[in-house]
Amino acid sequence: FVEEPAVWHIIAEDQLARDEAAVKEYTDYQYKAWDVLEKLRDKVLKAIEEKRETGDIKHSLEAAITLSFDHNSPDYTVLERFFKELANKGESLAEFFKAFFIVSRVVIDGDGNDTSADEEGDALGVKVDVSRAQGVKCPRCWHWEESDHLHSLCARCADLVV
């Protein structure tokens, strides 16, 4: 049995402390990001509900969402890191939001110059526009999409159904 030098324990403890600090920072960031995402989802769902009340759409899958972010918003700064992590994993931001909001289409307006907040003083820094999704309803997943498939399947379902 060979005894380890005392300096190794000091180095290991220092590394462990740095690792724990990094994990705490990342965890804090994740909580903030999901908090902002939940606020954004609430805002989108409210906008969809307003379109339902007017009869423009009947179900969230009939909705196409356009998001215009204010790049100067503190909440956008939190989301920007999340967006970069999605991109690094090769995931589409629009596809993420389609699943997160349960809608057929999401368009991200990339100019970043929209600084409008809604009438309630919402400081989220995003403008949400809801319209009726174009195309036909996929009989398999019910998403609305432009399709020239024989059975009106969306691109995703057409790839899955052989």
Side-chain angles (χ1 to χ4, degrees):
F1 171 65
V2 178
E3 194 170 317
E4 295 178 352
V7 70
W8 289 359
H9 293 286
I10 293 170
I11 292 171
E13 288 173 6
D14 182 53
Q15 182 63 42
L16 182 62
R18 277 188 269 139
D19 290 347
E20 286 175 354
V23 167
K24 182 182 180 333
E25 186 272 330
Y26 186 74
T27 303
D28 289 346
Y29 145 73
Q30 285 180 318
Y31 282 122
K32 288 177 189 171
W34 281 104
D35 183 51
V36 173
L37 286 168
E38 287 173 3
K39 286 191 269 183
L40 176 58
R41 186 169 190 268
D42 289 344
K43 188 170 185 173
V44 168
L45 294 179
K46 181 180 178 185
I48 290 172
E49 189 58 36
E50 290 170 0
K51 287 292 185 176
R52 268 195 203 142
E53 289 174 2
T54 62
D56 293 340
I57 62 173
K58 295 178 185 172
H59 189 277
S60 67
L61 286 175
E62 294 179 5
I65 308 295
T66 302
L67 300 174
S68 303
F69 289 97
D70 174 9
H71 293 201
N72 297 317
S73 164
D75 287 333
Y76 182 79
T77 306
V78 173
L79 288 179
E80 189 172 31
R81 181 174 171 185
F82 178 77
F83 296 165
K84 287 178 183 175
E85 286 182 4
L86 275 179
N88 289 341
K89 293 177 182 177
E91 296 182 32
S92 163
L93 184 57
E95 290 298 316
F96 168 80
F97 279 134
K98 265 179 61 172
F100 190 60
F101 302 141
I102 312 173
V103 297
S104 288
R105 183 166 186 219
V106 174
V107 175
I108 311 295
D109 185 7
D111 66 11
N113 294 325
D114 192 347
T115 57
S116 64
D118 70 10
E119 62 278 355
E120 297 172 10
D122 177 23
L124 189 56
V126 63
K127 181 180 176 191
V128 177
D129 182 47
V130 179
S131 60
R132 185 170 180 79
Q134 299 298 309
V136 294
K137 182 177 176 180
C138 175
R140 183 174 178 270
C141 70
W142 297 6
H143 282 86
W144 288 74
E145 187 177 293
E146 298 289 334
S147 174
D148 47 355
H149 187 273
L150 176 64
H151 301 289
S152 301
L153 292 176
C154 68
R156 185 177 70 87
C157 289
D159 288 343
L160 295 173
V161 176
V162 183

